[in-house]
């Protein structure tokens, strides 16, 4: 990675704080409740940095064009800006912003990465849209690379089919315009913080709806 693409060092990264110190076990089988209280305390600090870490990862897409006319961060910002300006709600806009965040880690299944990040926080409809946007986006180019552009047809009938088709048609596929003025990433951070403030679904949710850590 070029030096100018590295995120600037933070003066103090609270995500590594351990308010009660560290546990001392060597295996989970000999960990005590006191050990786990230390981990829970540290994790509650760590969780507060979730959005910051996502922003850091989005910034990895900067300068990464992969042959496209604009880089992957600009494409993400443009997709989200188009959705925002069309009056879509915050959850949808955050999905639009993150839909390609997996491009660097999931070269052969990038929608799964975004879907995994968003899954605790978004509706079934938005989750399905993010999870499946790749095959819907394929309608616009797969015939150019030896694939079936109509592959999405096998998903027709799903309640979110048209919803996802609209996402790609209106916001994703047109978001490669080098002359478009996107909103800056900072403008989306408060939206991410609100949408991701508390998980709706998680294996770490207690019956009362609070997270265990
Ligand atoms: Fe994508
Ligand atoms: Fe995209």
């Amino acid at each position: 990675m070029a030096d100018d693409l590295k995120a600037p060092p933070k003066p103090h990264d609270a995500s590594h704080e351990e308010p009660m110190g560290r546990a001392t076990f060597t295996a989970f089988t000999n960990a005590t409740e006191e050990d786990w209280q230390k981990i829970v305390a540290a994790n509650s600090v760590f969780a507060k940095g979730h959005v910051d870490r996502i922003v850091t990862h989005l910034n990895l897409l900067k300068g990464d064009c992969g042959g496209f006319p604009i880089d992957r961060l600009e494409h993400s910002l443009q997709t989200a800006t188009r959705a925002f300006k069309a009056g879509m709600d915050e959850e949808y806009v955050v999905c639009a912003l993150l839909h390609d965040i997996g491009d660097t880690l999931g070269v052969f299944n990038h929608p799964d990465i975004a879907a995994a990040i968003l899954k605790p926080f978004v509706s079934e409809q938005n989750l399905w849209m993010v999870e499946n946007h790749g095959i819907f986006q394929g309608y616009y180019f797969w015939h150019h690379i030896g694939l079936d552009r109509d592959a999405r047809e096998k998903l027709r009938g799903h309640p979110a089919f048209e919803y996802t088709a609209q996402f790609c048609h209106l916001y994703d596929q047109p978001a490669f315009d080098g002359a478009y003025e996107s909103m800056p990433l900072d403008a989306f951070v408060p939206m991410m913080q609100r949408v991701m403030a508390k998980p709706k679904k998680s294996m770490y949710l207690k019956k009362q709806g609070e997270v265990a850590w």
Side-chain angles (χ1 to χ4, degrees), residues 146-207:
L147 293 171
D148 176 13
R149 69 181 304 190
D150 293 314
R152 66 181 186 173
E153 289 306 317
K154 69 185 177 197
L155 300 171
R156 193 173 284 279
H158 189 279
F161 184 96
E162 285 302 332
Y163 186 77
T164 304
Q166 287 291 296
F167 168 73
C168 288
H169 189 70
L170 297 174
Y171 310 122
D172 195 1
Q173 68 82 21
F176 295 92
D177 181 353
Y180 187 87
E181 287 213 15
S182 296
M183 292 157 61
L185 183 49
D186 283 352
F188 296 103
V189 171
M191 298 184 209
M192 279 192 278
Q193 282 166 340
R194 285 188 287 269
V195 168
M196 306 177 99
K198 198 176 172 198
K200 296 173 191 156
K201 293 163 284 185
S202 168
M203 62 183 159
Y204 301 118
L205 276 183
K206 293 179 184 174
K207 282 183 186 149

Side-chain angles (χ1 to χ4, degrees), residues 60-137:
L60 294 178
L61 304 179
K62 191 173 183 180
D64 178 5
C65 293
F68 285 88
I70 59 176
D71 70 33
R72 298 182 201 275
L73 176 60
E74 176 54 30
H75 168 67
S76 302
L77 293 171
Q78 203 173 122
T79 306
T81 301
R82 287 173 185 277
F84 180 78
K85 291 196 169 165
M88 302 308 287
D89 64 40
E90 260 182 16
E91 186 180 300
Y92 190 100
V93 171
V94 168
C95 288
L97 180 69
L98 299 189
H99 78 284
D100 281 341
I101 195 170
D103 272 343
T104 52
L105 293 173
V107 173
F108 301 105
N109 66 332
H110 76 274
D112 292 337
I113 308 288
I117 294 168
L118 289 160
K119 189 175 183 177
F121 308 105
V122 302
S123 66
E124 288 299 320
Q125 183 172 236
N126 281 336
L127 179 63
W128 198 88
M129 176 181 84
V130 171
E131 238 168 10
N132 291 284
H133 83 267
I135 195 169
F136 282 78
Q137 188 79 336

Side-chain angles (χ1 to χ4, degrees), residues 38-59:
K38 291 174 182 172
I39 294 165
V40 166
N43 202 65
S44 69
V45 179
F46 185 71
K48 290 186 177 74
H50 189 199
V51 168
D52 288 345
R53 289 189 292 278
I54 291 171
V55 167
T56 297
H57 202 91
L58 276 170
N59 272 315

